[in-house]
Amino acid sequence: MLTSETPSEKPTIALALGDAAGIGGELAVKILSDEEVLESARLVLIGDRRQLEAAAALLGTEIDLPDCDPDADVPASLMDLANIDPADVTPGEASKLTGAAALENFATALRLCAAGGADAVAFTPFNKYAMRLARPDYVDEIGFINAVTGATKDGREFNVLDEFWNARVTSHIPLSEVAGKIKEQRVLDSIELTDQTMRNAGFTRPRIAVAAINPHAGDGGNFGHEDDREIAPAVQRAKEKQISVEGPLPSDTVYLRAHKGEFDAVLSMYHDQGQIAMKLIGFDRGVTLIGGYPFWIATPAHGTAYDIAGQGIANPNATKRALLLAAKLARQGDLVPADAASRASAIATATAEDFTAAR
């Protein structure tokens, strides 16, 4: 367990409420009573108080969460955006309303962190379909983060399960387009980013396995040429840069080897190649971590769970792990406690823009 700290010594995490038709409000309410999380970080929840109160009523409890106040140093507070009425939400049903509120919450959390009002960002699960209803050009979190923060270089998603990481060369694209995206330089860039991000997270020299894209790593060209022509040369170039990396390794065994401790990370070629393995190994423990930005961003690896929304049975374990990981990584940086004036300025910056400014 992480040691107890006074509020001023803790990192501050901006926790954006996710899709209101899913389990995000319930997860947030459960986290507010988790002593380990509150010992590890100060939370600033961002969303609609009514969403939290509805979730608390569902769970048969009450929340006593003060409004965010730059002069107060409290374990948890709320930046109430008053942007979604639970009476207008149908549990388990995606809508433009829930997508817009989730995006506004996320944008506000990102701006708060970028302005120095928090040390890391976290969010309860989003629903991409609902977010596209609100913003048709929305593809995924990376593009949205870039738009909100003005980032000029893409970050990257990692899946983290305890001390085991999974990275991707491609992510949210159709499977039919994957092979054409597997190019030597792109694979090398992904290896280097994985190595650097894990070093930033505290690994001295992470051991990275690169998964093959084809069955049996192409079997000498019998089952495709991407492994020999694109992936293997990228791995060799990474080795020449003193990165601890092996591959391409057959993907039907590489996750088993990593899970047994042979590697610290696997670099997959496409989204579900890694996601299926990681969720089978530990669905209720997995964390999605976004690195490559000035601050860390974390969320549970599972989705909005529309099928159990409104039933009060959501498991908060992955959300807890996301917050603990965000706090741990934030503490590895230079935490400089902000004074009240700086916090007030950051809050004003985070809430000054209309949501349309992030479109």
Side-chain angles (χ1 to χ4, degrees), residues 106-140:
F106 191 33
T108 303
L110 292 169
R111 289 195 290 259
L112 181 68
C113 206
D119 303 294
V121 169
F123 57 92
T124 58
F126 295 151
N127 181 275
K128 287 183 172 56
Y129 176 64
M131 296 165 99
R132 288 193 185 96
L133 289 175
R135 177 175 167 156
D137 65 339
Y138 176 86
V139 175
D140 59 17

Side-chain angles (χ1 to χ4, degrees), residues 301-317:
H302 60 71
T304 48
Y306 277 172
D307 57 323
I308 62 169
Q311 297 180 35
I313 59 173
N315 186 336
N317 193 32

